[in-house]
Amino acid sequence: MAVANERAARALREVLLKPGNSACADCAPPTDPSWGSCSLGTFICLECSGIHRNIPSISKVKSLRLSSWEDLEVQFLAEHGNTAAKTKYEAAVPVYYYKPTHRDCQVLREQWIRAKYERKEFTEPGKPLPYEEEVKEEMLMKRGRDNGQFLSRKFVLIEREGVLKYYTKYDAKEPKAIIRVDTINATFQPIKIGNPNGLQITFLKDYSTRNIFVYHENGKTIVDWLNAIRATQFHNLQVAFPGATDTELIPKLTRNFLKEGYMEKTGPRQTEGFKKRWFTLDQRRLMYFKDPLDAYAKGEVFIGQRDMGYKAIAGLPSSTHNNRTWQFGITIQTPDRNFLFTCETEEEQQDWLVQFQKVMDKPMSPQEFSMEAHLKHK
């Protein structure tokens, strides 16, 4: 550590050892924080320090290893620290609010940091929040299903009705779609959508999976929409399940997909050629699309529980057409049939297998048994 003196260096090392200081105050990655905020008294990671540097009015940051530290700065960190900062700035975070981790995209992490320290949204209970409006209305840029162009569309979220509507024009009388929020999963997809504020809204329409892709130029606006959807979902779940605890309801809100990526698959007769498809694993639903930005899934595979007859195996059956040409195959066995996939690399094959096996190890909920029965019927 290049600090002002050896005394400060020893003191800084001791402060780092205090409970709560060993992980980033804002995204809690599994690595030691390498930066400190002299003005907030927190320890943060390299990525979050970049966000702090863009908000100089609330945070002055220094590298723990490369910067010179004064005795008073180290003393300030010692008197505050991550635990005290969370007690102050996260005192009233709503249970439904999506708190990003180190794996999440830039816009989510930046707006979380700004919400805490710049806007002080969570310092006192009962403070009005921008994602708890009874009716939320905004013009968002939405990708066209057929032409792929992004055009301005009006979105309206109505908490009391538990629905999200969107209109093709601001003054349109009838909505283009009415989406029940309990069928929605919203997740940020900046790389896939090609916009740093890109949000994917996945929902069920006539028992089929539908995607719509939106963004807003303002990062706060689009993150507020994610949390408004989660708030509406949460409040509607509280009505539907009055005896349920917060811990039981949170997993029913929006979530990140377990894994996405390209694989190749063959048809049910397993004599056809393998075709490249984009796969999305969302809890127990493995959906596949011709293109990552397709509006509708071409099909779905239900991933059930291991002791119910589901298994994920590396490799393909020896009878598979051109079996020898596929090095990194995956066979998913279900009670009804086998599904065959191939990956480009062994690393991708192993990663998919790990995710499938995690899902298969978990017990199934009553809702998941209903989903299994419905997909079998389809």
Side-chain angles (χ1 to χ4, degrees):
M1 291 184 181
V3 292
N5 53 59
E6 185 56 35
R7 182 177 62 253
R10 287 196 303 271
L12 194 54
R13 284 193 288 267
E14 290 174 6
V15 175
L16 262 172
L17 294 174
K18 288 186 176 181
N21 291 343
S22 61
C24 176
D26 298 322
C27 72
T31 53
D32 294 334
S34 54
W35 288 73
S37 172
C38 308
S39 49
L40 295 171
T42 58
F43 294 92
I44 54 180
C45 69
L46 174 63
E47 287 77 11
C48 287
S49 74
I51 298 171
H52 280 249
R53 278 197 300 275
N54 289 331
I55 321 173
S57 59
I58 59 106
S59 189
K60 176 189 174 186
V61 295
K62 283 186 173 185
S63 168
L64 299 181
R65 297 177 179 87
L66 303 176
S67 300
S68 294
W69 287 79
E70 304 294 337
D71 288 339
L72 286 176
E73 292 172 333
V74 176
Q75 183 180 341
F76 184 80
L77 280 167
E79 292 171 351
H80 293 80
N82 290 2
T83 301
K86 287 178 184 288
T87 301
K88 177 180 178 180
Y89 294 106
E90 299 181 26
V93 180
V95 292
Y96 59 77
Y97 188 95
Y98 184 80
K99 295 168 67 171
T101 72
H102 66 287
R103 296 186 180 91
D104 284 300
C105 63
Q106 177 82 2
V107 68
L108 270 171
R109 292 163 63 174
E110 178 178 345
Q111 292 307 316
W112 165 236
I113 288 169
R114 288 185 180 274
K116 285 202 296 181
Y117 306 123
E118 187 178 47
R119 300 192 293 271
K120 296 183 174 62
E121 290 182 5
F122 314 123
T123 53
E124 52 187 278
K127 188 174 183 178
L129 297 171
Y131 26 84
E132 289 192 343
E133 301 164 320
E134 292 183 4
V135 178
K136 186 174 182 63
E137 183 177 316
E138 202 92 45
M139 299 298 290
L140 302 177
M141 299 300 291
K142 176 188 172 293
R143 186 180 190 272
R145 189 181 77 182
D146 300 317
N147 60 20
Q149 292 182 325
F150 280 89
L151 299 171
S152 184
R153 297 288 183 255
K154 184 173 77 169
F155 284 77
V156 181
L157 180 66
I158 306 173
E159 182 188 321
R160 180 172 47 83
E161 298 178 17
V163 297
L164 173 67
K165 302 178 181 182
Y166 81 85
Y167 301 76
T168 54
K169 296 180 181 178
Y170 180 79
D171 56 356
K173 297 291 188 291
E174 296 296 325
K176 177 73 172 176
I178 301 176
I179 306 163
R180 287 176 32 226
V181 294
D182 61 356
T183 73
I184 286 177
N185 185 36
T187 178
F188 273 90
Q189 298 278 6
I191 296 174
K192 184 196 292 188
I193 295 173
N195 185 286
N197 300 336
L199 182 69
Q200 177 176 337
I201 298 174
T202 301
F203 59 97
L204 291 178
K205 180 182 180 183
D206 302 327
Y207 297 102
S208 294
T209 298
R210 169 81 199 274
N211 292 325
I212 56 178
F213 303 94
V214 300
Y215 72 84
H216 194 281
E217 291 298 341
N218 183 283
K220 178 184 182 300
T221 298
I222 199 70
V223 174
D224 284 354
W225 267 94
L226 172 71
N227 285 301
I229 290 170
R230 289 173 62 89
T232 300
Q233 288 177 329
F234 183 72
H235 294 149
N236 279 267
L237 284 166
Q238 286 180 310
V239 173
F241 304 97
T245 64
D246 292 349
T247 304
E248 292 170 326
L249 297 181
I250 293 303
K252 301 179 186 294
L253 305 183
T254 65
R255 60 211 167 261
N256 290 323
F257 296 132
L258 297 177
K259 183 170 173 62
E260 286 195 290
Y262 283 108
M263 289 193 290
E264 296 192 12
K265 72 175 292 293
T266 187
R269 293 191 299 274
Q270 299 171 6
T271 56
E272 308 92 330
F274 281 78
K275 295 180 180 178
K276 191 173 184 178
R277 296 289 182 255
W278 178 264
F279 286 83
T280 297
L281 180 60
D282 182 16
Q283 295 184 322
R284 294 194 181 275
R285 295 163 62 202
L286 178 65
M287 300 168 279
Y288 54 94
F289 306 82
K290 190 173 181 180
D291 183 89
L293 294 173
D294 279 352
Y296 289 97
K298 290 186 72 67
E300 298 187 25
V301 179
F302 183 83
I303 309 295
Q305 193 176 339
R306 189 177 305 281
D307 58 13
M308 302 293 291
Y310 290 85
K311 188 181 293 185
I313 305 168
L316 303 177
S318 57
S319 59
T320 308
H321 182 61
N322 287 337
N323 179 50
R324 292 182 181 178
T325 64
W326 307 112
Q327 284 184 283
F328 310 116
I330 295 174
T331 300
I332 293 184
Q333 295 180 352
T334 79
D336 299 314
R337 58 167 282 200
N338 290 348
F339 294 88
L340 309 184
F341 311 101
T342 64
C343 303
E344 286 192 0
T345 66
E346 184 179 10
E347 182 181 7
E348 274 295 289
Q349 176 203 44
Q350 293 304 312
D351 195 23
W352 277 109
L353 284 169
V354 166
Q355 298 303 329
F356 291 144
Q357 285 157 2
K358 282 182 182 177
V359 173
M360 291 176 181
D361 285 342
K362 292 191 299 186
M364 282 168 55
S365 68
Q367 293 89 342
E368 289 171 338
F369 278 107
S370 298
M371 185 192 304
E372 180 188 39
H374 173 73
L375 287 176
K376 281 184 179 181
H377 177 71
K378 283 179 68 178

